[in-house]
């Protein structure tokens, strides 16, 4: 059986290759290929090309595993493992040339559903900054090989909190209303624009906490494991694990302060 550490090696290799391709295509000139859920939810040619590269490389290296990707959908495997891939997380940043986008590759055991899966390994690569965030289950989190740990001992009033907004105008309006409630209670709020990097930023102590509603599995699969392995507590709506309805990530002491406020709003949603 392949160990989680070995699976991580594969994740890192394919994520690095796709990140280099995405960065090259960014220099060549970005082309919007289509809009998805709304007119602002775009997909570029580079998203599709990067996902093709990753899917092809994984099929060659791990032919019995399943695949779930943002651009090309899912295919069940026979091994019980599934690769969950966002070829470019932060597509809008990518489109504008803001250097906060990343390739996210995770491998999970069980159905590719955040409610029940077990994430074994994950890599998030930001090619512009040359940053490779990695973790495998039980092995700790690293940035370019250096161990990461969340910042502990930060009170809510001094917390720098990341979040994101969905593409649907009605949904994002509700999300913004909550931010309006929260912003008076914390140090400040950041909307960086790539959920995978938000979670890695919690792992690296660049954010104290992060929450978002409406994420897709590929947005958080790798980043949530990296944050968890760096010592973060990760939760979802109520007792559920982090997923589409809600994901909250923070050092355990800050989580205890932030989570009830987030829950209060999002259970009313
Ligand atoms: C989006 C980003 C963004 C988050 C959105 C995601 P995409 O992913 O992660 O930060 O707020 O919810 O959909 O579309 O850039 O892959």
């Amino acid at each position: 059986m392949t160990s989680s550490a070995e699976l991580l090696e594969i994740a890192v290799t394919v994520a690095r290759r796709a990140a280099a391709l995405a960065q090259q295509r960014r220099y060549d000139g970005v082309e919007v290929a289509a809009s998805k859920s709304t007119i602002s939810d775009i997909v570029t040619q580079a998203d599709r090309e990067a996902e093709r590269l990753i899917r092809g490389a994984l099929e060659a290296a791990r032919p019995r595993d399943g695949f779930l990707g943002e651009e090309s959908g899912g295919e069940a495997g026979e091994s019980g493992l599934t690769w969950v891939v966002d070829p470019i997380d932060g597509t809008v940043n990518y489109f504008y040339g803001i250097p906060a986008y990343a390739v996210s590759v995770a491998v999970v055991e069980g159905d590719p559903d955040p409610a029940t899966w077990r994430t074994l390994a994950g890599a998030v690569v930001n090619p512009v900054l040359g940053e490779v965030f990695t973790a495998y289950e039980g092995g700790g989190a690293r940035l370019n090989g250096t161990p990461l740990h969340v910042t502990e001992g930060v009170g809510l009033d001094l917390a720098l909190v990341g979040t994101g907004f969905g593409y649907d105008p009605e949904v994002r309006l509700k999300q913004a209303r909550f931010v309006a409630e929260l912003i008076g209670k914390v140090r400040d709020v950041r909307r960086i624009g790539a959920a995978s990097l938000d979670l890695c930023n919690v792992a690296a102590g660049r954010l104290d906490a992060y929450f978002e509603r409406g994420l897709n599995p590929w947005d958080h699969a790798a980043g949530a494991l990296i944050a968890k392995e760096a010592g973060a507590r990760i939760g979802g709506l109520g007792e559920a694990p982090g997923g589409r309805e809600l994901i909250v990530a923070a050092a355990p002491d800050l989580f205890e302060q932030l989570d009830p406020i987030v829950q209060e709003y999002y259970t009313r949603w």
Side-chain angles (χ1 to χ4, degrees), residues 41 70 86 88-92 164-167 191 193-196 198 212 214-216 219:
D41 182 7
E70 177 168 20
D86 193 339
I88 302 180
D89 182 36
T91 307
V92 174
F165 301 105
Y167 290 107
R191 195 290 195 248
S196 60
D198 289 320
E212 185 162 348
L215 290 185
N216 288 303
D219 294 319

Side-chain angles (χ1 to χ4, degrees), residues 123-266:
V124 174
V125 178
N126 176 340
V128 188
L129 301 182
E131 293 192 328
V132 181
F133 295 91
T134 56
Y136 65 87
E137 193 186 43
R142 291 185 161 67
L143 167 53
N144 294 344
T146 303
L148 294 177
H149 207 277
V150 294
T151 310
E152 287 173 89
V154 179
L156 187 65
D157 55 343
L158 287 181
L160 186 61
V161 182
T163 193
F165 301 105
Y167 290 107
D168 181 308
E170 276 182 35
V171 171
R172 52 171 47 189
L173 198 58
K174 277 184 166 179
Q175 290 172 311
R177 287 201 186 103
F178 177 62
V179 172
E181 280 183 27
L182 184 71
I183 199 159
K185 301 185 172 84
V186 298
R187 183 195 291 272
D188 209 343
V189 171
R190 294 286 179 271
R191 195 290 195 248
I192 290 168
S196 60
L197 291 175
D198 289 320
L199 287 157
C200 291
N201 284 332
V202 172
R206 295 172 181 171
L207 287 175
D208 297 308
Y210 164 71
F211 70 91
E212 185 162 348
R213 182 185 175 97
L215 290 185
N216 288 303
W218 44 81
D219 294 319
H220 64 84
L225 178 69
I226 293 164
K228 183 171 167 226
E229 286 293 330
R233 183 165 159 197
I234 313 284
L237 193 65
E239 296 307 309
R244 178 178 284 281
E245 286 188 308
L246 186 64
I247 189 162
V248 182
D253 53 353
L254 178 59
F255 187 98
E256 300 269 315
Q257 299 169 66
L258 175 66
D259 190 56
I261 302 172
V262 181
Q263 296 292 337
E264 207 274 316
Y265 185 83
Y266 281 92

